[in-house]
């Protein structure tokens, strides 16, 4: 009887130990595994963005506009159509744009009363512009050569200065406008002539 009581007590103690061992082997008593936090992604500095457009390169195109002459030897309404071609080169320094250009205009400007017609004006220009992105306002000045026919059949030189504005439609196409004031002192030994021209321009860069 005593032996039986001993076996019962042993069984009662062994049962909880066996259950605890089973839970431990099944992972119930295992310590929780903490996964490492992901490393933060490196922060990349944004690439610098250039605010301006590069105006450097050769270009050529055409222009059409209006011109008016002012002289004591001419009537007050001596004006008419102008049309021509131009070609030049620009160098973009980052903010300032420097360049040179040659252009020539034919005209329909004629004073019937004095029988004087302005046949053409050719110019050699220096240009200084400001790189404002796709816009470029600029100043220009240089020398001009005018040719007249009729009662005053002469070719003579003078000077001019003016301002303009170019806009980049695309990488290869530019449009703009230009206003120039010309001065021809003692043109052909006959008269002082001032001329104002305003033109719309289209240029192709390459």
């Amino acid at each position: 009887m005593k032996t039986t009581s001993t076996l019962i007590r042993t069984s009662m103690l062994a049962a909880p130990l066996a259950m605890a061992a089973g839970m431990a082997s099944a992972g119930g008593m295992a310590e929780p595994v903490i996964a490492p936090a992901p490393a933060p992604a490196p922060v990349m500095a944004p690439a610098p963005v250039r605010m301006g457009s590069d105006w450097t390169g050769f270009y050529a195109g055409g222009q059409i506009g209006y011109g008016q002459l002012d002289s004591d030897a001419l009537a007050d309404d001596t004006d008419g159509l102008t049309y021509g071609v131009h070609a030049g080169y620009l160098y973009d320094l980052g903010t300032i744009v420097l360049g040179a250009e040659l252009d020539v205009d034919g005209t329909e400007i004629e004073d019937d009363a004095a029988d004087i017609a302005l046949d053409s004006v050719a110019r050699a220009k220096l240009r200084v512009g400001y790189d404002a992105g796709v816009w470029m306002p600029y100043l220009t000045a240089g020398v001009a050569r005018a040719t007249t026919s009729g009662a005053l059949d002469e070719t003579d030189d003078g000077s001019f200065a003016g301002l303009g504005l170019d806009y980049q439609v695309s990488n290869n196409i530019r449009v703009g406008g230009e206003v120039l004031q010309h001065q021809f002192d003692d043109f052909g030994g006959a008269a002082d002539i001032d001329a104002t021209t305003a033109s719309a321009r289209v240029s192709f860069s390459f």
Side-chain angles (χ1 to χ4, degrees):
M1 185 71 178
K2 188 175 181 179
T3 302
T4 302
S5 298
T6 301
L7 289 174
I8 291 172
R9 286 196 300 269
T10 302
S11 298
M12 292 176 64
L13 290 173
L17 291 175
M19 290 177 63
M23 292 175 61
S25 63
M29 300 297 291
E31 295 183 0
V33 178
I34 301 175
V43 178
M44 302 297 292
V49 178
R50 187 172 187 270
M51 298 304 294
S53 297
D54 189 3
W55 293 84
T56 298
F58 290 97
Y59 64 92
Q63 67 267 5
I64 186 169
Y66 168 85
Q68 182 174 16
L69 304 184
D70 182 17
S71 174
D72 292 339
L74 301 172
D76 292 337
D77 57 351
T78 306
D79 53 21
L81 183 70
T82 65
Y83 46 87
V85 293
H86 60 264
Y89 180 82
L90 295 174
Y91 187 74
D92 195 334
L93 299 175
T95 301
I96 302 299
V97 182
L98 302 178
E101 179 181 299
L102 297 174
D103 77 12
V104 59
D105 277 340
T107 89
E108 299 294 334
I109 302 173
E110 185 174 356
D111 182 354
D112 293 330
D115 188 26
I116 297 175
L118 176 62
D119 296 331
S120 64
V121 180
R123 308 174 189 87
K125 301 177 176 178
L126 294 178
R127 300 176 68 186
V128 179
Y130 174 71
D131 184 347
V134 294
W135 294 95
M136 187 185 70
Y138 64 89
L139 301 175
T140 183
V143 296
R145 172 167 291 183
T147 299
T148 61
S149 60
L152 184 62
D153 189 3
E154 295 287 347
T155 297
D156 210 341
D157 297 332
S159 61
F160 74 91
L163 51 86
L165 179 66
D166 280 348
Y167 173 73
Q168 287 193 0
V169 178
S170 67
N171 289 335
N172 303 108
I173 301 176
R174 302 168 184 171
V175 297
E178 191 174 74
V179 177
L180 304 176
Q181 180 66 43
H182 308 71
Q183 184 172 4
F184 298 92
D185 294 330
D186 196 24
F187 186 88
D192 295 338
I193 300 176
D194 294 333
T196 303
T197 60
S199 61
R201 296 157 47 99
V202 177
S203 304
F204 301 91
S205 59
F206 50 92

